[in-house]
């Protein structure tokens, strides 16, 4: 390191030296290989999705709907992104600063704005890059079904992705600059969402985020009001850059510790730890007073103790978790509606939304697994208890499924969608909670030594199978849509696919029941 004259120059020199050491310790060929594999898999998945989009031609009525209603939906999405940004900043975000830099740089006699210049720029740059990638992909998908030049759609999607991501990060910095107003800011973050939802209900365009919707559909209907989205993006990003010095060190320290643990849990694929850490990050705690009460020692509790135990767990859900699961149900319902109208690729969106909701619904089983010592004291096989929790969660997931079906039916105004969702309700709900249980309940056993050649595919299977199993629950609706499009009877093929999904879900539940016994037998055999 060379001698420097000012603290700012010393900081720049230190970061340059650390970056040089990091580059020396990193194998460039390994990095290029990871980029190559990730890019190859990403392109394969993207073009596979593109192949699923061209199956149903869009009619003039749907084009007119996209022209009038599409911008309002995008406006609602932008408002939700801004709300998430406000909540993130109020909870200590959006920066996650390393502990060493937090103690040795932010507490040093260097201007805080200077110390946070590099992390802030890195955050804005990453948000813009991710937004551009997702926006360009969405624009390419839209160009497959809507009239207009392909490059115009890609450019509009790219600008939209950058705008929404930078706006969300910018308002996160702005809300982080006011830590004393955390609760009012979280409450006010609902206002743009309610405003955009009211516009969608009334068919008006008065929300400040309307410009994002007009920007998204610029190739279909150019409107000058789209420039408002650019103004909001620039204002949010510049405002966030200017107030970076007001970041709360205490909240940044709390967030940094949790983010480090989240990264470790993600590397270990520990979904349960990820959930707990994310709730700590959002300061989410169970309710002190339950929404409803169940009497102690009643006949129902003696007959169905696991069901009553799960019901009491759901009764202490905080309002934020109820809103989150409801939002996932709405997303899944809209994805099913879009799939019914021909955009088959959105079945993946609906499957992922249902999977995330199932992860929340399977919470009682997660709580049971958090106390393995108490679980061993119960004179019942652990697998039997796990299946009991899955059955109770399937009942709760059926309520979520009803919400998904209601949203899909209202969005399409087609009774056939509701009927197909009703046929798929029990298999789909069971498949979803079974997938959630497979993700939460880790089945690693020290007695089972897995060769390195098998560990990679095994890890990939454990990561991808639960979302795929949840997505399979929507396949009966896809089969019904195909039969309706071909003007064929659709009830019988829909029921057939639903029965197949039910068999797969039952096999997954059976595996959850027998896996502990299989592990114990393997351990006895290895002795």
């Amino acid at each position: 390191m060379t001698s420097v004259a000012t603290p700012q120059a010393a900081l720049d020199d230190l970061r340059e030296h650390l970056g040089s050491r990091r580059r020396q310790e990193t194998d460039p060929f390994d990095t290029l290989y990871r980029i190559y594999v990730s890019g190859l898999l990403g392109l394969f998945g993207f073009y596979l999705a593109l192949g699923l989009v061209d199956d149903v031609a869009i009619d003039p009525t749907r084009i007119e709907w996209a022209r009038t209603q599409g911008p309002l939906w995008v406006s609602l999405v932008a408002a939700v992104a801004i709300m998430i940004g406000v909540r993130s900043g109020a909870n200590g975000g959006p920066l996650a600063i390393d502990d060493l830099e937090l103690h040795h740089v932010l507490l040093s006699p260097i201007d805080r704005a200077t110390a946070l210049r590099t992390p802030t720029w890195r955050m804005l740059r990453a948000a813009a890059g991710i937004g551009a990638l997702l926006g360009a992909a969405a624009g390419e998908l839209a160009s497959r079904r809507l009239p207009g030049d392909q490059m115009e759609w890609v450019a509009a999607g790219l600008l939209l992705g950058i705008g929404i991501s930078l706006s969300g990060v910018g308002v996160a910095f702005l809300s982080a600059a006011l830590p004393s107003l955390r609760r009012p800011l979280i409450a006010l973050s609902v206002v743009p969402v309610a405003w955009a939802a009211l516009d969608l209900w009334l068919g008006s365009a008065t929300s400040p985020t309307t410009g994002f919707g007009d920007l998204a559909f610029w190739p279909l209907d150019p409107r000058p009001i789209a420039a408002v989205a650019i103004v909001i993006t620039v204002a949010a990003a510049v405002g966030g850059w200017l107030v970076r010095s007001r970041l709360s060190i205490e909240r940044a320290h709390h967030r940094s510790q949790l983010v480090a643990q989240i990264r470790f849990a993600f590397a270990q694929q520990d979904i349960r730890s990820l959930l707990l850490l994310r709730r700590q990050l959002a300061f989410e705690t169970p309710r002190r007073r339950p929404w409803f009460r169940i009497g102690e020692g009643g006949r129902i509790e003696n007959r169905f103790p696991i069901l009553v135990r799960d019901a009491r767990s759901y009764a202490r859900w905080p309002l934020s978790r109820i809103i989150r699961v409801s939002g996932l149900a709405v997303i899944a319902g809209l994805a099913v509606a879009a799939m019914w109208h021909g955009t088959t690729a959105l079945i993946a969106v609906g499957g992922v939304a249902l999977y995330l909701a199932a992860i929340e619904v399977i919470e009682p089983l997660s709580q049971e697994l958090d106390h393995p010592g108490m679980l061993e004291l119960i004179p019942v096989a652990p697998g039997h208890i796990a299946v009991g929790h899955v059955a109770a969660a399937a009942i709760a997931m059926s309520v979520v499924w009803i919400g998904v079906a209601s949203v899909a039916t209202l969005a399409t105004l087609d009774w056939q969608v509701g009927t197909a969702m009703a046929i798929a309700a029990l298999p789909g709900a069971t498949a979803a909670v079974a997938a959630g249980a497979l993700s939460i309940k880790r089945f690693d056993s020290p007695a089972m030594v897995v060769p390195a050649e098998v560990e990679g595919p095994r890890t990939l299977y454990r990561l991808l199978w639960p979302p795929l199993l949840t997505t399979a629950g929507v396949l009966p609706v896809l089969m019904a849509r195909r039969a309706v499009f071909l003007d064929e009877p659709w009830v019988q093929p829909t029921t057939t696919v639903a029965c197949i999904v039910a068999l797969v879900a039952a096999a997954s539940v059976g595996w959850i029941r027998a896996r502990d016994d299989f592990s114990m037998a393997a351990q006895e055999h290895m002795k």
Side-chain angles (χ1 to χ4, degrees), residues 9-83:
L11 178 61
D12 293 339
D13 187 70
L14 174 63
R15 284 178 171 157
E16 182 180 355
H17 177 69
L18 293 176
S20 177
R21 288 187 57 183
R22 192 180 300 111
R23 287 190 295 270
Q24 292 176 3
E25 296 173 356
T26 303
D27 186 359
F29 294 100
D30 183 60
T31 303
L32 290 176
Y33 177 75
R34 291 180 180 181
I35 295 175
Y36 167 74
V37 173
S38 301
L40 189 64
L41 291 176
L43 288 176
F44 174 77
F46 178 66
Y47 281 101
L48 178 64
L50 289 182
L52 295 175
V53 173
D54 292 334
D55 51 353
V56 179
I58 190 169
D59 54 59
T61 304
R62 304 309 304 172
I63 294 177
E64 183 61 26
W65 182 92
R67 188 192 309 272
T68 57
Q69 299 295 318
L72 301 180
W73 282 104
V74 176
S75 172
L76 181 60
V77 171
V80 171
I82 291 176
M83 180 188 69

Coordinates of all heavy atoms in Angstrom, one line a residue, residues 9-83:
A9 N -8.6 9.3 0.6 CA -7.6 8.6 -0.2 C -7.2 7.3 0.4 O -7.0 6.2 -0.3 CB -6.4 9.5 -0.5
A10 N -7.1 7.3 1.8 CA -6.7 6.0 2.5 C -7.8 5.0 2.3 O -7.5 3.8 2.1 CB -6.4 6.4 3.9
L11 N -9.0 5.4 2.4 CA -10.1 4.5 2.2 C -10.2 3.9 0.8 O -10.3 2.7 0.6 CB -11.5 5.2 2.5 CG -12.7 4.3 2.4 CD1 -12.7 3.1 3.3 CD2 -14.0 5.2 2.7
D12 N -10.0 4.8 -0.2 CA -9.9 4.3 -1.6 C -8.8 3.3 -1.8 O -8.9 2.3 -2.5 CB -9.8 5.5 -2.5 CG -11.1 6.3 -2.5 OD1 -12.1 5.8 -2.1 OD2 -11.0 7.5 -2.9
D13 N -7.6 3.6 -1.2 CA -6.5 2.7 -1.4 C -6.7 1.4 -0.7 O -6.3 0.3 -1.2 CB -5.2 3.4 -0.8 CG -4.0 2.6 -1.1 OD1 -3.6 2.6 -2.2 OD2 -3.4 2.1 -0.1
L14 N -7.4 1.4 0.5 CA -7.7 0.2 1.2 C -8.6 -0.7 0.4 O -8.4 -1.9 0.3 CB -8.3 0.5 2.6 CG -8.8 -0.7 3.4 CD1 -7.6 -1.6 3.8 CD2 -9.5 -0.2 4.7
R15 N -9.6 -0.1 -0.1 CA -10.6 -0.9 -0.9 C -10.0 -1.4 -2.2 O -10.2 -2.6 -2.6 CB -11.8 -0.1 -1.2 CG -12.8 0.1 0.0 CD -13.9 1.0 -0.3 NE -14.9 0.9 0.8 CZ -15.8 1.8 1.0 NH1 -15.9 2.9 0.2 NH2 -16.6 1.7 2.1
E16 N -9.1 -0.7 -2.8 CA -8.4 -1.2 -4.0 C -7.5 -2.3 -3.6 O -7.4 -3.3 -4.4 CB -7.6 0.0 -4.6 CG -6.8 -0.4 -5.9 CD -6.0 0.7 -6.4 OE1 -6.1 1.8 -5.9 OE2 -5.3 0.5 -7.4
H17 N -6.8 -2.2 -2.5 CA -5.9 -3.3 -2.0 C -6.7 -4.6 -1.7 O -6.3 -5.7 -2.1 CB -5.1 -2.9 -0.8 CG -4.3 -3.9 -0.2 ND1 -3.1 -4.4 -0.8 CD2 -4.4 -4.7 0.9 CE1 -2.6 -5.3 -0.1 NE2 -3.3 -5.5 1.0
L18 N -7.9 -4.4 -1.0 CA -8.7 -5.6 -0.7 C -9.3 -6.2 -2.0 O -9.4 -7.4 -2.1 CB -9.9 -5.2 0.2 CG -9.5 -4.7 1.6 CD1 -10.7 -4.3 2.4 CD2 -8.8 -5.9 2.4
G19 N -9.7 -5.4 -2.9 CA -10.2 -5.9 -4.2 C -9.1 -6.7 -5.0 O -9.3 -7.7 -5.6
S20 N -7.8 -6.2 -4.9 CA -6.7 -6.9 -5.6 C -6.5 -8.2 -4.9 O -6.3 -9.2 -5.6 CB -5.5 -6.0 -5.5 OG -4.4 -6.7 -6.1
R21 N -6.5 -8.3 -3.6 CA -6.3 -9.5 -2.9 C -7.5 -10.5 -3.2 O -7.2 -11.7 -3.4 CB -6.3 -9.3 -1.4 CG -5.0 -8.6 -0.9 CD -4.9 -8.6 0.6 NE -5.0 -9.9 1.2 CZ -5.1 -10.2 2.5 NH1 -5.0 -9.2 3.3 NH2 -5.1 -11.4 2.9
R22 N -8.7 -10.0 -3.3 CA -9.8 -10.9 -3.6 C -9.7 -11.5 -5.0 O -10.0 -12.6 -5.2 CB -11.1 -10.1 -3.4 CG -12.3 -11.0 -3.4 CD -13.6 -10.1 -3.3 NE -13.6 -9.4 -2.1 CZ -13.5 -8.0 -2.0 NH1 -13.4 -7.3 -3.1 NH2 -13.5 -7.4 -0.8
R23 N -9.2 -10.7 -5.9 CA -9.0 -11.2 -7.3 C -7.9 -12.2 -7.4 O -8.0 -13.1 -8.1 CB -8.7 -10.0 -8.2 CG -10.0 -9.1 -8.5 CD -9.7 -8.1 -9.6 NE -8.7 -7.2 -9.2 CZ -8.9 -6.0 -8.6 NH1 -10.2 -5.7 -8.4 NH2 -7.9 -5.2 -8.3
Q24 N -6.9 -12.0 -6.5 CA -5.8 -13.0 -6.5 C -6.2 -14.3 -5.9 O -5.7 -15.4 -6.4 CB -4.6 -12.4 -5.8 CG -3.9 -11.2 -6.4 CD -2.8 -10.6 -5.6 OE1 -2.5 -11.1 -4.5 NE2 -2.2 -9.6 -6.1
E25 N -7.1 -14.3 -5.0 CA -7.6 -15.5 -4.3 C -8.6 -16.2 -5.1 O -9.0 -17.4 -4.8 CB -8.1 -15.2 -2.9 CG -7.0 -14.7 -2.0 CD -7.6 -14.2 -0.6 OE1 -8.9 -14.3 -0.5 OE2 -6.9 -13.8 0.2
T26 N -9.2 -15.6 -6.1 CA -10.3 -16.2 -6.9 C -9.7 -16.8 -8.2 O -8.9 -16.1 -8.9 CB -11.3 -15.1 -7.3 OG1 -11.8 -14.5 -6.1 CG2 -12.5 -15.7 -8.1
D27 N -10.1 -18.0 -8.5 CA -9.6 -18.7 -9.7 C -10.5 -18.1 -10.9 O -11.7 -18.3 -10.9 CB -9.8 -20.2 -9.5 CG -9.2 -20.9 -10.7 OD1 -8.7 -20.3 -11.7 OD2 -9.3 -22.2 -10.7
P28 N -9.8 -17.5 -11.8 CA -10.6 -16.9 -12.9 C -11.3 -18.0 -13.8 O -12.4 -17.7 -14.3 CB -9.6 -16.1 -13.8 CG -8.3 -16.7 -13.4 CD -8.4 -17.2 -12.0
F29 N -10.7 -19.1 -13.9 CA -11.3 -20.2 -14.7 C -12.5 -20.7 -14.0 O -13.5 -21.1 -14.7 CB -10.3 -21.3 -15.0 CG -9.1 -20.9 -15.9 CD1 -7.9 -20.5 -15.3 CD2 -9.3 -20.8 -17.2 CE1 -6.9 -20.1 -16.1 CE2 -8.2 -20.3 -18.0 CZ -7.0 -20.0 -17.4
D30 N -12.5 -20.8 -12.7 CA -13.6 -21.3 -11.9 C -14.8 -20.3 -12.1 O -16.0 -20.7 -12.2 CB -13.3 -21.5 -10.5 CG -14.4 -22.0 -9.6 OD1 -14.9 -23.1 -10.0 OD2 -14.8 -21.4 -8.7
T31 N -14.5 -19.0 -12.0 CA -15.5 -18.0 -12.2 C -16.1 -18.0 -13.5 O -17.4 -18.0 -13.7 CB -14.9 -16.6 -11.9 OG1 -14.3 -16.6 -10.6 CG2 -15.9 -15.5 -12.0
L32 N -15.3 -18.2 -14.6 CA -15.8 -18.2 -15.9 C -16.7 -19.5 -16.1 O -17.7 -19.4 -16.8 CB -14.7 -18.2 -16.9 CG -13.9 -16.9 -17.1 CD1 -12.7 -17.1 -18.0 CD2 -14.8 -15.8 -17.6
Y33 N -16.3 -20.6 -15.5 CA -17.1 -21.8 -15.6 C -18.5 -21.6 -14.9 O -19.5 -22.1 -15.5 CB -16.3 -23.0 -14.9 CG -17.1 -24.3 -15.0 CD1 -17.2 -25.0 -16.1 CD2 -17.7 -24.8 -13.8 CE1 -18.0 -26.2 -16.1 CE2 -18.4 -25.9 -13.8 CZ -18.5 -26.6 -15.0 OH -19.3 -27.8 -15.0
R34 N -18.5 -21.0 -13.8 CA -19.8 -20.7 -13.1 C -20.7 -19.8 -14.0 O -21.9 -20.1 -14.1 CB -19.5 -20.1 -11.7 CG -18.9 -21.0 -10.7 CD -18.7 -20.4 -9.4 NE -18.1 -21.2 -8.4 CZ -17.8 -20.9 -7.2 NH1 -18.1 -19.7 -6.7 NH2 -17.2 -21.7 -6.3
I35 N -20.1 -18.8 -14.5 CA -20.9 -17.9 -15.4 C -21.4 -18.7 -16.6 O -22.5 -18.5 -17.0 CB -20.0 -16.7 -15.8 CG1 -19.7 -15.8 -14.6 CG2 -20.7 -15.9 -16.9 CD1 -18.7 -14.7 -14.9
Y36 N -20.5 -19.5 -17.2 CA -20.9 -20.3 -18.3 C -22.1 -21.2 -18.0 O -23.1 -21.2 -18.7 CB -19.7 -21.1 -18.8 CG -20.1 -22.1 -19.8 CD1 -20.4 -21.8 -21.2 CD2 -20.1 -23.5 -19.5 CE1 -20.7 -22.8 -22.1 CE2 -20.4 -24.5 -20.4 CZ -20.7 -24.1 -21.7 OH -21.0 -25.1 -22.6
V37 N -22.0 -22.0 -16.9 CA -23.1 -22.9 -16.5 C -24.3 -22.2 -16.2 O -25.4 -22.5 -16.6 CB -22.6 -23.8 -15.4 CG1 -23.8 -24.6 -14.9 CG2 -21.4 -24.7 -15.8
S38 N -24.2 -21.1 -15.4 CA -25.4 -20.3 -15.0 C -26.1 -19.7 -16.3 O -27.3 -19.7 -16.4 CB -25.0 -19.2 -14.0 OG -24.5 -19.8 -12.9
G39 N -25.3 -19.1 -17.1 CA -25.8 -18.5 -18.3 C -26.5 -19.6 -19.2 O -27.6 -19.3 -19.8
L40 N -25.9 -20.7 -19.3 CA -26.4 -21.8 -20.2 C -27.8 -22.3 -19.7 O -28.7 -22.4 -20.4 CB -25.4 -23.0 -20.3 CG -25.8 -24.1 -21.3 CD1 -25.7 -23.5 -22.7 CD2 -24.8 -25.2 -21.2
L41 N -27.8 -22.5 -18.3 CA -29.1 -22.9 -17.7 C -30.2 -21.9 -17.8 O -31.3 -22.1 -18.1 CB -28.9 -23.3 -16.3 CG -28.1 -24.6 -16.0 CD1 -27.8 -24.8 -14.5 CD2 -28.7 -25.8 -16.6
G42 N -29.7 -20.6 -17.6 CA -30.7 -19.5 -17.7 C -31.3 -19.4 -19.1 O -32.5 -19.2 -19.3
L43 N -30.4 -19.4 -20.1 CA -30.9 -19.3 -21.5 C -31.8 -20.5 -21.9 O -32.8 -20.4 -22.6 CB -29.7 -19.3 -22.5 CG -28.9 -18.0 -22.5 CD1 -27.7 -18.1 -23.4 CD2 -29.8 -16.8 -22.9
F44 N -31.4 -21.7 -21.4 CA -32.3 -22.9 -21.7 C -33.7 -22.7 -21.1 O -34.7 -22.9 -21.8 CB -31.6 -24.1 -21.1 CG -32.5 -25.4 -21.2 CD1 -32.6 -26.0 -22.5 CD2 -33.1 -25.9 -20.1 CE1 -33.4 -27.1 -22.6 CE2 -33.9 -27.0 -20.2 CZ -34.0 -27.6 -21.5
G45 N -33.7 -22.3 -19.8 CA -35.0 -22.1 -19.2 C -35.8 -21.0 -19.9 O -37.0 -21.1 -20.0
F46 N -35.1 -19.9 -20.3 CA -35.8 -18.8 -20.9 C -36.4 -19.2 -22.2 O -37.6 -18.9 -22.5 CB -34.8 -17.6 -21.1 CG -35.4 -16.4 -21.7 CD1 -36.4 -15.7 -21.1 CD2 -35.0 -16.0 -23.0 CE1 -37.0 -14.6 -21.7 CE2 -35.6 -14.9 -23.6 CZ -36.6 -14.2 -22.9
Y47 N -35.6 -19.8 -23.1 CA -36.1 -20.2 -24.4 C -37.2 -21.3 -24.3 O -38.0 -21.5 -25.2 CB -35.0 -20.6 -25.3 CG -34.3 -19.4 -25.9 CD1 -33.1 -18.9 -25.4 CD2 -34.9 -18.6 -26.9 CE1 -32.5 -17.8 -25.9 CE2 -34.3 -17.5 -27.4 CZ -33.1 -17.1 -26.9 OH -32.5 -16.0 -27.4
L48 N -37.1 -22.1 -23.2 CA -38.1 -23.1 -23.0 C -39.4 -22.4 -22.7 O -40.5 -22.8 -23.1 CB -37.7 -24.0 -21.8 CG -38.8 -25.1 -21.4 CD1 -39.0 -26.1 -22.6 CD2 -38.3 -25.8 -20.2
A49 N -39.4 -21.3 -21.9 CA -40.5 -20.5 -21.6 C -41.1 -19.9 -22.8 O -42.3 -19.8 -23.0 CB -40.2 -19.5 -20.5
L50 N -40.2 -19.4 -23.7 CA -40.6 -18.8 -25.0 C -41.4 -19.8 -25.8 O -42.4 -19.4 -26.5 CB -39.4 -18.3 -25.8 CG -38.7 -17.0 -25.2 CD1 -37.6 -16.6 -26.1 CD2 -39.6 -15.9 -25.0
G51 N -41.0 -21.0 -25.8 CA -41.7 -22.1 -26.6 C -43.1 -22.3 -26.0 O -43.9 -22.8 -26.8
L52 N -43.3 -22.0 -24.7 CA -44.6 -22.2 -24.2 C -45.6 -21.1 -24.4 O -46.7 -21.1 -24.1 CB -44.5 -22.5 -22.6 CG -43.7 -23.7 -22.2 CD1 -43.6 -23.8 -20.7 CD2 -44.5 -25.0 -22.7
V53 N -45.1 -20.0 -24.9 CA -45.9 -18.8 -25.1 C -46.7 -18.8 -26.4 O -47.7 -18.2 -26.5 CB -45.0 -17.5 -25.0 CG1 -45.8 -16.3 -25.3 CG2 -44.4 -17.4 -23.6
D54 N -46.1 -19.4 -27.4 CA -46.7 -19.3 -28.8 C -47.8 -20.3 -29.0 O -48.2 -20.4 -30.2 CB -45.6 -19.5 -29.8 CG -44.6 -18.4 -29.8 OD1 -44.9 -17.3 -29.4 OD2 -43.4 -18.6 -30.2
D55 N -48.3 -20.9 -28.0 CA -49.3 -22.0 -28.2 C -50.7 -21.5 -28.5 O -51.5 -22.2 -29.2 CB -49.3 -23.0 -27.1 CG -49.5 -22.3 -25.7 OD1 -49.5 -21.1 -25.7 OD2 -49.6 -23.0 -24.7
V56 N -51.1 -20.3 -28.0 CA -52.5 -19.8 -28.2 C -52.4 -18.4 -28.7 O -51.7 -17.5 -28.1 CB -53.2 -19.8 -26.9 CG1 -54.6 -19.3 -27.1 CG2 -53.3 -21.3 -26.3
A57 N -53.0 -18.2 -29.9 CA -52.9 -16.8 -30.5 C -53.8 -15.9 -29.7 O -54.9 -16.3 -29.3 CB -53.3 -16.9 -32.0
I58 N -53.4 -14.7 -29.5 CA -54.2 -13.7 -28.8 C -55.2 -13.0 -29.8 O -54.9 -12.7 -30.9 CB -53.3 -12.6 -28.2 CG1 -54.1 -11.7 -27.2 CG2 -52.6 -11.8 -29.2 CD1 -53.2 -10.9 -26.3
D59 N -56.4 -12.8 -29.3 CA -57.4 -12.3 -30.2 C -57.5 -10.8 -30.0 O -57.0 -10.2 -29.0 CB -58.8 -12.9 -29.9 CG -59.1 -12.8 -28.4 OD1 -59.2 -11.7 -27.9 OD2 -59.3 -13.9 -27.8
P60 N -58.2 -10.0 -30.9 CA -58.3 -8.6 -30.8 C -58.9 -8.1 -29.4 O -58.5 -7.0 -28.9 CB -59.2 -8.2 -32.0 CG -59.0 -9.3 -32.9 CD -58.8 -10.5 -32.1
T61 N -59.8 -8.9 -28.9 CA -60.4 -8.5 -27.6 C -59.3 -8.4 -26.5 O -59.3 -7.5 -25.7 CB -61.5 -9.5 -27.2 OG1 -62.5 -9.5 -28.2 CG2 -62.2 -9.0 -25.9
R62 N -58.5 -9.4 -26.5 CA -57.4 -9.5 -25.5 C -56.4 -8.4 -25.7 O -55.8 -7.8 -24.8 CB -56.7 -10.8 -25.5 CG -57.6 -12.0 -25.2 CD -58.5 -11.8 -24.0 NE -57.7 -11.6 -22.8 CZ -58.3 -11.2 -21.7 NH1 -59.6 -11.1 -21.6 NH2 -57.5 -11.0 -20.6
I63 N -56.1 -8.0 -27.0 CA -55.2 -6.9 -27.3 C -55.8 -5.6 -26.7 O -55.0 -4.8 -26.2 CB -55.0 -6.8 -28.8 CG1 -54.3 -8.1 -29.3 CG2 -54.2 -5.6 -29.2 CD1 -54.0 -8.1 -30.8
E64 N -57.1 -5.4 -26.9 CA -57.7 -4.2 -26.4 C -57.6 -4.2 -24.8 O -57.4 -3.1 -24.2 CB -59.1 -4.1 -26.9 CG -59.8 -2.8 -26.4 CD -59.2 -1.6 -27.0 OE1 -58.5 -1.6 -28.0 OE2 -59.3 -0.5 -26.3
W65 N -57.8 -5.4 -24.3 CA -57.7 -5.4 -22.8 C -56.3 -5.1 -22.3 O -56.1 -4.4 -21.4 CB -58.0 -6.9 -22.3 CG -58.0 -7.0 -20.9 CD1 -59.0 -6.9 -20.0 CD2 -56.9 -7.4 -20.1 NE1 -58.6 -7.1 -18.7 CE2 -57.3 -7.4 -18.7 CE3 -55.5 -7.7 -20.4 CZ2 -56.4 -7.7 -17.7 CZ3 -54.7 -8.0 -19.3 CH2 -55.1 -8.0 -18.0
A66 N -55.3 -5.6 -23.1 CA -53.9 -5.3 -22.7 C -53.6 -3.8 -22.9 O -52.9 -3.2 -22.1 CB -53.0 -6.1 -23.6
R67 N -54.3 -3.2 -23.9 CA -54.0 -1.7 -24.1 C -54.6 -0.9 -23.0 O -54.1 0.1 -22.6 CB -54.7 -1.3 -25.4 CG -54.3 0.1 -25.9 CD -55.2 0.5 -27.1 NE -55.2 -0.6 -28.1 CZ -54.3 -0.6 -29.1 NH1 -53.4 0.4 -29.2 NH2 -54.3 -1.5 -30.0
T68 N -55.8 -1.3 -22.5 CA -56.5 -0.5 -21.5 C -56.2 -0.9 -20.0 O -56.0 0.0 -19.1 CB -58.0 -0.5 -21.7 OG1 -58.4 -1.9 -21.7 CG2 -58.3 0.1 -23.1
Q69 N -56.2 -2.2 -19.8 CA -56.0 -2.7 -18.4 C -54.6 -3.1 -18.1 O -54.2 -3.0 -16.9 CB -56.9 -3.9 -18.2 CG -58.4 -3.7 -18.4 CD -58.9 -2.7 -17.3 OE1 -58.6 -2.8 -16.2 NE2 -59.7 -1.8 -17.8
G70 N -53.8 -3.4 -19.1 CA -52.4 -3.8 -18.8 C -51.6 -2.7 -18.0 O -50.9 -3.1 -17.0
P71 N -51.6 -1.5 -18.5 CA -50.9 -0.4 -17.7 C -51.3 -0.3 -16.3 O -50.5 0.0 -15.4 CB -51.2 0.8 -18.5 CG -51.5 0.4 -19.9 CD -52.2 -0.9 -19.7
L72 N -52.6 -0.5 -16.0 CA -53.1 -0.4 -14.6 C -52.5 -1.5 -13.7 O -52.1 -1.3 -12.6 CB -54.6 -0.4 -14.6 CG -55.3 0.7 -15.4 CD1 -56.8 0.5 -15.3 CD2 -54.8 2.0 -14.9
W73 N -52.4 -2.7 -14.3 CA -51.8 -3.8 -13.6 C -50.3 -3.6 -13.3 O -49.8 -3.9 -12.2 CB -52.0 -5.2 -14.3 CG -53.3 -5.7 -14.2 CD1 -54.3 -5.7 -15.1 CD2 -53.9 -6.4 -13.0 NE1 -55.5 -6.3 -14.6 CE2 -55.2 -6.7 -13.4 CE3 -53.4 -6.7 -11.8 CZ2 -56.1 -7.4 -12.5 CZ3 -54.2 -7.4 -10.9 CH2 -55.5 -7.7 -11.2
V74 N -49.6 -3.1 -14.3 CA -48.2 -2.8 -14.1 C -48.0 -1.7 -13.1 O -47.0 -1.7 -12.3 CB -47.5 -2.4 -15.5 CG1 -46.1 -2.0 -15.3 CG2 -47.6 -3.6 -16.4
S75 N -48.9 -0.7 -13.1 CA -48.9 0.4 -12.1 C -49.0 -0.2 -10.7 O -48.3 0.2 -9.8 CB -50.0 1.4 -12.4 OG -50.1 2.3 -11.4
L76 N -49.9 -1.2 -10.6 CA -50.0 -1.8 -9.2 C -48.7 -2.6 -8.8 O -48.3 -2.5 -7.7 CB -51.2 -2.8 -9.3 CG -51.5 -3.6 -8.0 CD1 -51.9 -2.6 -6.9 CD2 -52.7 -4.5 -8.2
V77 N -48.1 -3.2 -9.8 CA -46.8 -3.9 -9.5 C -45.8 -2.9 -9.0 O -45.0 -3.2 -8.1 CB -46.4 -4.7 -10.7 CG1 -45.0 -5.3 -10.5 CG2 -47.3 -5.9 -11.0
A78 N -45.7 -1.8 -9.7 CA -44.7 -0.8 -9.4 C -45.0 -0.2 -8.0 O -44.1 0.0 -7.2 CB -44.7 0.3 -10.4
A79 N -46.3 -0.1 -7.6 CA -46.6 0.4 -6.3 C -46.2 -0.6 -5.2 O -45.8 -0.2 -4.1 CB -48.1 0.7 -6.2
V80 N -46.4 -1.9 -5.5 CA -46.0 -2.9 -4.6 C -44.5 -2.9 -4.4 O -44.0 -3.0 -3.2 CB -46.5 -4.3 -5.0 CG1 -45.9 -5.4 -4.2 CG2 -48.0 -4.3 -5.0
A81 N -43.7 -2.7 -5.5 CA -42.3 -2.6 -5.4 C -41.9 -1.5 -4.5 O -40.9 -1.6 -3.7 CB -41.7 -2.6 -6.7
I82 N -42.5 -0.3 -4.7 CA -42.2 0.8 -3.8 C -42.5 0.6 -2.4 O -41.8 1.0 -1.5 CB -42.9 2.1 -4.4 CG1 -42.4 2.5 -5.7 CG2 -42.9 3.2 -3.4 CD1 -43.1 3.6 -6.4
M83 N -43.7 -0.1 -2.1 CA -44.0 -0.4 -0.7 C -43.0 -1.3 -0.1 O -42.6 -1.2 1.0 CB -45.4 -1.1 -0.7 CG -45.9 -1.5 0.7 SD -47.4 -2.5 0.7 CE -46.8 -4.0 0.0

